[in-house]
Amino acid sequence: MEKWIKEVKKDVCIVGAGPAGMLLGLLLAKQGLEVLVLEQNADFHREYRGEITQPRFVQLMKQLNLLRYIESYPHVKIHEVVVFHNHREIMKLAFQTLIEEESYCARLTQPTLLTALLEKAKQYPNFQLLFNTKVKDLLRDGEKIVGVHAQSRQGEEKKVAGNLPYEGDLYVKARLTVGVDGRNSTIEKLAKFELELDYYVNDLLWFSFEKPESWDYNIYHFYFQNHFNYLFLPKLGGYIQCGISLTRGEYQKIKEEGIESFKAKIIEDMPILRPYLEPMTDFREFVQLLCKMRYVKEWAKEGCLLIGDAAHCVTPWGAVGSTMAMGTAMIAADVIYKGFQNDDLSLETLKQVQKRREKEVRMIQNLQVTLEKFLTREPVKKELAPLVFSMATKMPDIMKTYKQLFTRDEPLDIDKSFVFSDDAPTSGGREDAHHSHQVV
C-alpha cells in the first residue's frame, strides 16, 4: 500500500459513489472520458437508503438498455400500492393503470444497484474508483474550481474490481468536479453554494422484521392507524421494511416516554408486529430518517457542478429520490459529454443541467409537499386523509398526480450514444483519450 502525496489528472472527478454518482461515472466512461469517483465510505453498504425504484427508474434503465442487466441482480417487483384505514382497504393503485409498460417498482438494495453499476463501469479502463477517500478542500485557479484535495485511508473493504488501493494525500486536478455527495454535501459547503429551499417538517422511523406467512410480498402497503401512519415495503431476504411517519421532533418525545410505551402503541395499531416488537428493550432497532427537502439556487460554478441530492434533495415520500437523482445524472452526462466534444465546459454550458431538470424537480417537490400535508396526524387532517385516499382512484386529477410522481411521459433527451449494446464492451475510451493518468 502506497502512502504519500500524489497528484493525478482527470477529465472529471466525481465526489460520491451513490446511484447518481456511479451512473454518471459509468456514462462518462462509456464516452471515453477519464473519470475518477471518490467515495468516503469503505464500501457500498447503505441501510434504508434509496432501495425502492419507481416505474420512472425502470423507464430510465430501459432507455439506456440496462434494464435486463440490472434485473439480472436480486430484486423484487412491486406491482401495486394498497392503502388501509384501521385495517380496512380504502385504495388500491395498480401501476399498470398509470403506465402500460414498466408498470412496477423494482426493489433493489442500494449495495446491489451500486455493485451492478460498478461491474458495468469496470469494463472501461478510463473509469476508476477510490473508497475510503474524503475530500478535504477544493483546488482553485482564481475563482475557478480545478479539482479537489482528498485524503485516502487504508480500509478493510473487499478487493472490488475498480477500487484502487491507495493511502495518503491525493490531489486530483480535473477539468470538471461534480459533487454527488448527498444532502450533506461537502462540495456544496466548500464551494459555498447557496440554498434556495430548506424544508423539513416530518421524519420517518425505519425498522425491519421477518415477513409473516400471511404477508403479500409484492405489494407496497400504507396504513392510517390510530397512533401512527405506517409504510411497509418488501425487503430482500424474506424481510419487510416498516416506516413510521412522525412529525419533526416527535421521536425525541417518544424516546423520553420510553420503549415500552412506544411498543404498546405500535402493537395496538398493528397487532401482527407483536412477535417482533415484544423482545425489544431499547430503540437500537429503529433508524431515523429526516424528511428534508432542499434545493440549491444555482447548481453550477466555474469548474464545478452539483447533481442529485447535493443539488435537489427530495423527501422519502413517493420513494422517488434515487430515481430523480439518476435522471439528473443522465442529463448531466449528456451536457458534460457534449461540452468535452465542443471543448466548452463554461459556466453557461454547466448551467444547462439545471435548466433541463429544474421543471421536473420542482414539480416533484411540490407534489411531495402536498402529499405530506395529507399524511400528517394533525386532528382535522388526520380525519380527512383516509377519505381523500379512498376517493383517489376515482378522481382524475389525483390519478394524474400519481402518474406524474411515479412515471415519465417521455424519455429523457440524451444522445443516443449513451445507449448500451446488448454485448458489453471489454474496453472503453474515445480514440483521442490517450492522456490516461493512473492512480496506482
Side-chain angles (χ1 to χ4, degrees), residues 290-304:
L290 310 183
C291 297
K292 288 188 174 182
M293 180 184 295
R294 303 168 78 254
Y295 190 93
V296 172
K297 186 174 182 180
E298 298 286 345
W299 301 358
K301 293 195 172 189
E302 290 284 355
C304 185

Side-chain angles (χ1 to χ4, degrees), residues 357-395:
R357 287 294 287 162
E358 63 181 343
K359 181 179 179 181
E360 182 177 22
V361 169
R362 290 183 187 277
M363 181 268 291
I364 292 296
Q365 288 186 330
N366 289 335
L367 287 178
Q368 288 187 324
V369 170
T370 301
L371 182 61
E372 283 199 349
K373 289 178 180 178
F374 282 103
L375 296 175
T376 182
R377 295 193 317 283
E378 294 175 9
V380 175
K381 294 177 181 178
K382 179 182 176 181
E383 298 302 320
L384 286 176
L387 177 63
V388 171
F389 272 81
S390 67
M391 298 187 299
T393 54
K394 305 177 183 68
M395 300 173 68

Side-chain angles (χ1 to χ4, degrees), residues 26 44 69-70 73 111-121:
L26 168 62
F44 284 142
Y69 167 71
I70 294 292
Y73 285 78
T112 299
L113 175 59
L114 298 178
T115 298
L117 294 173
L118 174 59
E119 288 299 308
K120 182 66 70 171

Side-chain angles (χ1 to χ4, degrees), residues 79-81 92-99 103 399:
H79 295 278
E80 61 184 0
V81 179
K92 180 180 288 187
L93 175 64
F95 290 116
Q96 65 182 7
T97 63
L98 302 178
I99 183 173
S103 55
M399 289 301 290

Side-chain angles (χ1 to χ4, degrees), residues 80-82 84 215-216 219-223 230-233:
E80 61 184 0
V81 179
V82 182
F84 300 85
W215 200 277
D216 191 328
I219 293 179
Y220 189 154
H221 298 79
F222 189 90
Y223 283 79
Y230 301 83
L231 171 66
F232 293 95
L233 305 168

Side-chain angles (χ1 to χ4, degrees), residues 286-383:
F286 297 96
V287 176
Q288 183 183 15
L289 178 62
L290 310 183
C291 297
K292 288 188 174 182
M293 180 184 295
R294 303 168 78 254
Y295 190 93
V296 172
K297 186 174 182 180
E298 298 286 345
W299 301 358
K301 293 195 172 189
E302 290 284 355
C304 185
L305 175 68
L306 297 182
I307 68 168
D309 281 4
H312 54 76
C313 179
V314 299
T315 77
W317 295 111
V320 296
S322 60
T323 302
M324 293 298 295
M326 294 177 82
T328 302
M330 290 170 62
I331 293 298
D334 188 65
V335 170
I336 294 167
Y337 167 58
K338 291 172 180 174
F340 272 93
Q341 278 191 316
N342 299 324
D343 195 25
D344 178 11
L345 290 175
S346 64
L347 182 58
E348 286 306 308
T349 294
L350 299 180
K351 283 183 175 181
Q352 291 301 313
V353 178
Q354 184 173 0
K355 288 180 180 178
R356 293 170 60 179
R357 287 294 287 162
E358 63 181 343
K359 181 179 179 181
E360 182 177 22
V361 169
R362 290 183 187 277
M363 181 268 291
I364 292 296
Q365 288 186 330
N366 289 335
L367 287 178
Q368 288 187 324
V369 170
T370 301
L371 182 61
E372 283 199 349
K373 289 178 180 178
F374 282 103
L375 296 175
T376 182
R377 295 193 317 283
E378 294 175 9
V380 175
K381 294 177 181 178
K382 179 182 176 181
E383 298 302 320

